[in-house]
Amino acid sequence: MNQVDYLRISLIDRCNFRCQYCMPEGAELDYLLKQELLTDAELLTLIQFVFIPVGFTRFRLTGGEPLLRPRVVELVRAIASLPQTQDLSMTTNGFLLASQAQNLYDAGLRRVNISLDSLDSDTFEQIIGNRGRSRWQQVWRGIQAAYNVGFDPLKLNVVVIPGVNDHEILDLAALTIDKQWHVRFIEFMPIGNGDLFGDRGWVSSEDLRQRIRERWGLTKSQIRGAGPADVFQIPGAKGTLGFISQMSECFCDRCNRMRFSADGWLRPCLLNETGQIDLKTALRAGTSTDQLQEQVKQVLAIKPEINFKGRDSGTADIYSYSRTMSQIGG
Ligand SMILES: Nc1nc2c(ncn2[C@@H]2O[C@H](COP(=O)(O)OP(=O)(O)OP(=O)(O)O)[C@@H](O)[C@H]2O)c(=O)[nH]1
Ligand SMILES: C[S@@+](CC[C@H](N)C(=O)[O-])C[C@H]1O[C@@H](n2cnc3c(N)ncnc32)[C@H](O)[C@@H]1O
Ligand code: SF4
Ligand code: SF4
């Protein structure tokens, strides 16, 4: 059985974007109230005295948009300075990164994954739900800042939506030729915005690889990440191409992670709501960290049974999730 040692921590459920694949179109989301969010002290207590003792050593900060979390740099510093932390990373939309990249790096963050679904500002604005202001340039500046500061590896995440940005695959892949960037194509999952998924579905990674192969050739890379991406390379390129293929392939047998929401729910599987536990309420009710460790161990024990097995080439029940991707953290 895989060791589950990687925790994706959502710092906040709010976001400054409204990506069409992540949130239901038009619907008002119920955001968490301040008192429902774990405080910094509660989060750090749980990491240090509950998650680390049961074996978690790799942490990814996500959201919503993690850079909207107040005092995020101090949180990064506190987690990075724990001697047991072997890997600390962040997934961000990059909009606030230009001004924060250096501070985050100085605080101990060493790698970031940045979402960039298009190189065309109009398509980008359409995907992120433009509210009248062009945001592409600012995200691009965030990516450059992260690169200049020294984040390594620097990964760019592209959710591929048929008919929206799939015509840009080659342009996005070409970014890896001259730059040591790692572009990852993510198959659109039926979570977040079921209506969009229902309409347009997803493009398989193998389709994309074939298009790239025909243009430049493609070799399997020696580099493997800590996550589900299959890594390839254009021959001679400085960077790599990753493919996250949750719809066309099943990588659940190598699943090494759980998710922790901003309001303290521990979730054993992204695509399955079974077995979640509410650690915040337990902590606030005075449950000892030793007892909380036992609760987490029980979730770890049942995780292999919970891991998503019901997939059948994209026919998962897309309306059965009560939380959007922005609320879970991807
Ligand atoms: N189905 C599924 N999809 C995942 C899982 N982990 C990541 N993904 C998908 O991959 C996307 C990108 O993940 P990232 O936040 O960049 O992290 P990662 O690729 O796991 O991270 P590293 O390899 O550690 O850099 C997520 O938004 C999901 O769409 C997983 O456990 N299950
Ligand atoms: C939920 S976001 C949170 C972090 C940050 N706001 C960002 O966008 O990078 C994390 C990741 O989830 C991905 N994601 C969101 N909805 C998705 C979906 N329906 N299918 C696949 N990936 C999705 C995003 O592209 C992003 O890479
Ligand atoms: S993918 Fe990230 S940036 Fe886009 S709406 Fe979801 S949480 Fe926000
Ligand atoms: S779908 Fe669930 S079990 Fe499968 S890899 Fe993702 S989180 Fe793990």
Side-chain angles (χ1 to χ4, degrees), residues 8 60 91 111 113 155 157 184 189 227 257 259:
R8 296 175 68 94
R60 173 170 294 280
T91 303
R111 57 194 201 94
N113 297 1
K155 301 183 184 178
N157 284 342
R184 292 114 51 80
M189 271 187 281
R257 56 198 53 203
R259 282 152 174 95

Side-chain angles (χ1 to χ4, degrees), residues 12-23 29 62-66 91-94 115 117 127-128 131 159 324-327 329-330:
I12 189 159
D13 60 333
R14 287 169 196 267
C15 189
N16 38 9
F17 288 2
R18 230 196 136 95
C19 301
Q20 44 175 269
Y21 49 72
C22 180
M23 296 183 182
L29 290 181
T62 176
E65 176 44 43
T91 303
T92 168
N93 63 28
S115 297
D117 297 313
I127 293 173
I128 69 161
R131 292 182 219 120
V159 176
T324 65
M325 280 293 260
S326 60
Q327 290 163 329

Side-chain angles (χ1 to χ4, degrees), residues 7-11 43 47 59-63 79 260:
L7 190 67
R8 296 175 68 94
I9 301 170
S10 172
L11 293 183
L43 179 57
I47 293 174
F59 304 100
R60 173 170 294 280
L61 306 178
T62 176
I79 301 170
F260 193 46

Side-chain angles (χ1 to χ4, degrees), residues 148-168:
N148 292 334
V149 160
F151 283 104
D152 183 24
L154 181 68
K155 301 183 184 178
L156 302 183
N157 284 342
V158 182
V159 176
V160 181
I161 312 170
V164 176
N165 63 351
D166 58 333
H167 60 285
E168 286 190 61

Side-chain angles (χ1 to χ4, degrees), residues 251-252 255 259 269-271 303 307-308 311:
F251 43 70
C252 299
C255 184
R259 282 152 174 95
C269 171
L270 172 64
L271 295 181
K303 177 167 162 63
N307 284 358
F308 189 63
R311 72 182 60 222

Side-chain angles (χ1 to χ4, degrees), residues 127-182:
I127 293 173
I128 69 161
N130 187 339
R131 292 182 219 120
R133 211 146 50 97
S134 174
R135 291 169 177 233
W136 187 90
Q137 277 298 344
Q138 178 68 17
V139 170
W140 189 249
R141 273 195 291 275
I143 294 170
Q144 304 289 343
Y147 182 62
N148 292 334
V149 160
F151 283 104
D152 183 24
L154 181 68
K155 301 183 184 178
L156 302 183
N157 284 342
V158 182
V159 176
V160 181
I161 312 170
V164 176
N165 63 351
D166 58 333
H167 60 285
E168 286 190 61
I169 297 311
L170 295 180
D171 293 339
L172 286 157
L175 291 176
T176 66
I177 296 177
D178 298 330
K179 299 187 176 72
Q180 215 197 332
W181 292 357
H182 306 278

